[in-house]
Amino acid sequence: MPAKNLSVNRSALGHRVSYALRHPQRVPRHLVRAGRDAWLRYRYPDHVAYYRAVMRSDTRTSPEAAVGSHSHERWLALGAMQFDYLLGHGLRPEHRMLEIGCGNLRAGWRFISHLEPGHYYGIDISPDILAAAQDTLVRQGLQGRLPTLTPVRDLTLRFLPDAHFDVVHAHSVFSHSPLPVIEECLAHVGRVMAPGGWFDFTFDRTEGMEHQVLREDFYYRTETLIALAEKHGLAARFMADWEELPHGQSKIRVTHREGGRTS
C-alpha cells in the first residue's frame, strides 16, 4: 500500500483535475457515484439517513464492496488485520465487545468466534448490511455463538447498559462521518464502557486542511478528534503501531480518564 498523503486536499479542484488526468479510466464511475450521491443528499438531508441510503445502494451491488473491500481476498485480509491487532492488544474471550458499524462482519465473524457466546454486540445504521451480516454468520457456522446484531438510528447508544463493554470498536465509521456524528458517539460511549475498557476507532487522517469528498469520506487532523474526546471527559491517544500496518486509515484509542468513569 502506498504511503499516506497527509497534506493533500482531495476536495480541491486542482487535485480532482490532476487525479482525473492520471486515472482517466476512473472518471466515468466517479461521475456516476457523484450523481447518485447528489440525489441521495437531496432526498436525505440528515447525514445518517443519507449514508444509510448510500449503504443500501452499495450493498445491493456487493456487501463486501459496501464495507470498502473490492475483492473477497481484501475483505478477508482487512478483517484479519483488525482481529490480530485487537488480539495483540489484549482482547480476551471473556471480554464483552461492542462493534459500532459492524457491517457484514468483515472482522466481526472473527471476534464472534473468539469471544464467549453472547459476548459480541454489533450495531449498524444499515439494515441492509446487517442482513448480509446474517449471511456471514451462516457461512461461518457461528449461529451457536449467539451474537447480537442491531440496527440503530443514531450513535447515542441509549438502549445499551452502563459500564457493560470491555472493548468498543469502530473501523471505518468516523472516516464517513461529519464531526456532529462523531461527537454524538464520543459524548455517550464512555457510559457503556466498563472500567478499564477501551474504544478503538479509525479515521482518515490529514495534516493539512480538514475536508470531505462527496459527503462520504471525511479527513480530520488527529488533534481535532483527541480534543473532541477530551471535551467529553475521555482520554485519547494516537496508536502509532497501527500505522505500521498496510491500511490507509489511522487509529485512536479512547479510555476513561484516571479517577473515574464518564457519565
Side-chain angles (χ1 to χ4, degrees):
M1 175 173 290
K4 300 174 185 177
N5 189 334
L6 299 178
S7 60
V8 66
N9 183 343
R10 293 163 180 81
S11 67
L13 178 61
H15 172 77
R16 288 183 288 167
V17 170
S18 174
Y19 187 89
L21 291 174
R22 286 182 284 116
H23 304 283
Q25 72 282 4
R26 299 181 184 178
V27 172
R29 181 178 181 276
H30 176 80
L31 292 176
V32 169
R33 191 170 190 93
R36 182 206 66 175
D37 285 3
W39 168 243
L40 292 178
R41 287 196 301 274
Y42 173 76
R43 289 192 63 193
Y44 306 101
D46 171 73
H47 181 79
V48 172
Y50 156 70
Y51 205 74
R52 183 180 294 117
V54 168
M55 288 298 295
R56 181 184 307 120
S57 175
D58 287 350
T59 302
R60 287 172 180 168
T61 302
S62 165
E64 293 186 355
V67 298
S69 300
H70 297 294
S71 71
H72 184 64
E73 291 71 22
R74 186 62 177 160
W75 186 83
L76 289 170
L78 285 174
M81 187 187 307
Q82 296 171 59
F83 175 74
D84 291 343
Y85 185 82
L86 281 189
L87 199 64
H89 278 263
L91 179 68
R92 303 193 303 270
E94 66 270 21
H95 280 156
R96 297 184 183 274
M97 181 176 187
L98 170 65
E99 186 162 30
I100 299 172
C102 63
N104 69 333
L105 301 180
R106 176 170 58 182
W109 73 265
R110 299 176 189 271
F111 295 136
I112 293 165
S113 181
H114 176 71
L115 297 170
E116 292 178 2
H119 280 215
Y120 176 92
Y121 204 113
I123 63 173
D124 204 288
I125 64 167
S126 170
D128 300 88
I129 203 67
L130 288 178
Q134 294 175 351
D135 295 336
T136 300
L137 283 177
V138 173
R139 284 197 304 271
Q140 299 297 333
L142 294 171
Q143 299 95 322
R145 308 301 290 181
L146 297 175
T148 299
L149 302 174
T150 301
V152 295
R153 292 173 296 193
D154 53 41
L155 295 183
T156 61
L157 312 175
R158 60 186 181 272
F159 63 97
L160 296 173
D162 290 0
H164 186 73
F165 296 102
D166 304 289
V167 178
V168 183
H169 185 248
H171 183 92
S172 198
V173 174
F174 289 178
S175 53
H176 302 300
S177 302
L179 276 179
V181 174
I182 296 174
E183 181 163 18
E184 180 178 78
C185 182
L186 291 172
H188 295 92
V189 71
R191 180 186 63 80
V192 303
M193 286 166 50
W198 73 88
F199 170 33
D200 276 8
F201 65 82
T202 63
F203 67 104
D204 280 325
R205 179 162 65 100
T206 182
E207 293 179 355
M209 179 182 295
E210 295 182 331
H211 59 282
Q212 55 83 20
V213 179
L214 298 179
R215 300 295 293 177
E216 282 198 41
D217 300 301
F218 292 78
Y219 293 81
Y220 296 111
R221 297 174 67 90
T222 303
E223 52 266 35
T224 296
L225 299 182
I226 287 179
L228 199 58
E230 292 174 346
K231 173 184 175 181
H232 293 285
L234 300 164
R237 62 187 176 98
F238 183 75
M239 302 301 286
D241 59 345
W242 175 262
E243 298 290 290
E244 301 169 6
L245 300 175
H247 194 277
Q249 295 180 15
S250 297
K251 186 184 287 283
I252 286 175
R253 174 161 298 173
V254 170
T255 58
H256 293 301
R257 284 181 179 169
E258 291 186 18
R261 180 174 64 84
T262 58
S263 60

